[in-house]
Amino acid sequence: MSRRAGILEFAVLGLLRESPMHGYELRKRLNTSLGVFRAFSYGTLYPCLKTLLANGWLIEEPGNTSEDALAAPLAGRRAKIVYRLTAEGKEHFEELLSQTGPDAYEDEHFAARFAFFGQTSRDVRMRVLEGRRSRLEERLEKMRASLARTRERLDDYTLELQRHGMESVEREVRWLNELIESERAGRDLNRPAHGEPARDTTEGAPGVLPRPGDTPGPDTPGDTAT
């Protein structure tokens, strides 16, 4: 399995843990709640769903909304299939949530993991955040060393681009430091501090994606629901 396929499976399981959904709803949530999946298609999602079904982690059920009930009699249409997490699927997702290996620190995987931090234990959150910070600090050190070696050979625009990249990494390190401090202090990001407004939870997103260094792809046009 490719790394990106594994991240997609993780995200699908996490979203279905919240509630059953049909394919169109899943794709919409992946696009809007998990920015890392903005540039993917049904051609990617449905093979993933088939794999999860084959593994016994999902089951298919007929849609039960009034819209779905009316869909079948219409020419050329059928009722939407709803995907529901099985007990085995929930257990597998819990196992994935507990993992804190190097893959959890990589750019795309970290974004997906962070989106489900609300379902993750504090000790696991701390290990993932500290691992991500360590990874970025190593990256920042290499970028600075590379810039010091090549500065005299770079034109102004290339130099500015490298500086911009370094600043993005530095911002994310500062952001991670703040998150780690909050975790150590036992503060819950889902609850506002005294006197602060409540956080926006638009679209019912399970978490908040990291902003520093985030470079999402363009939104892809909507597809017809299956």
Side-chain angles (χ1 to χ4, degrees):
M1 180 195 305
S2 70
R3 176 177 293 174
R4 187 167 178 80
I7 299 169
L8 179 58
E9 288 187 7
F10 171 83
V12 168
L13 290 171
L15 290 175
L16 291 177
R17 186 175 186 254
E18 297 175 350
S19 65
M21 301 181 199
H22 54 69
Y24 178 77
E25 289 175 314
L26 266 174
R27 182 168 185 252
K28 182 178 179 182
R29 287 293 303 279
L30 287 164
N31 284 340
T32 58
S33 301
L34 306 178
V36 69
F37 294 110
R38 283 177 182 163
F40 86 105
S41 66
Y42 275 111
T44 304
L45 176 59
Y46 280 99
C48 170
L49 291 171
K50 288 181 180 178
T51 298
L52 297 177
L53 286 164
N55 288 336
W57 296 331
L58 303 183
I59 57 173
E60 293 180 332
E61 297 177 339
N64 57 8
T65 66
S66 58
E67 179 184 346
D68 291 340
L70 293 173
L74 298 178
R77 295 191 62 188
R78 58 187 177 85
K80 296 172 184 174
I81 294 172
V82 172
Y83 298 92
R84 181 185 296 274
L85 211 59
T86 63
E88 292 80 7
K90 291 178 182 178
E91 183 178 345
H92 180 62
F93 182 68
E94 293 289 344
E95 179 183 345
L96 293 176
L97 274 183
S98 69
Q99 294 178 2
T100 59
D103 280 352
Y105 316 148
E106 299 300 333
D107 295 344
E108 288 187 342
H109 206 156
F110 174 74
R113 286 298 302 269
F114 190 83
F116 294 99
F117 262 21
Q119 304 179 38
T120 306
S121 64
R122 176 166 280 131
D123 63 320
V124 171
R125 292 198 302 263
M126 280 292 294
R127 288 198 293 271
V128 173
L129 289 171
E130 289 175 341
R132 174 67 175 175
R133 180 176 64 180
S134 178
R135 179 63 53 85
L136 289 182
E137 286 173 341
E138 292 174 3
R139 184 184 300 175
L140 191 57
E141 184 177 348
K142 291 178 181 178
M143 293 172 75
R144 286 170 175 161
S146 175
L147 184 59
R149 289 194 306 269
T150 60
R151 181 187 299 270
E152 299 302 324
R153 301 195 300 270
L154 299 177
D155 62 59
D156 290 343
Y157 293 102
T158 304
L159 185 61
E160 191 60 31
L161 184 61
Q162 291 205 10
R163 285 174 176 160
H164 174 69
M166 287 177 54
E167 289 171 359
S168 296
V169 177
E170 289 169 344
R171 282 196 302 272
E172 185 167 351
V173 169
R174 290 195 297 270
W175 174 74
L176 289 166
N177 286 334
E178 293 172 0
L179 289 174
I180 290 169
E181 181 182 349
S182 293
E183 292 289 344
R184 286 178 176 161
R187 293 196 292 271
D188 186 350
L189 293 185
N190 291 320
R191 288 198 209 110
H194 180 68
E196 292 182 357
R199 280 185 168 240
D200 182 11
T201 54
T202 305
E203 296 283 348
V208 184
L209 283 178
R211 297 300 180 191
D214 184 23
T215 54
D219 290 344
T220 51
D223 293 288
T224 305
T226 300

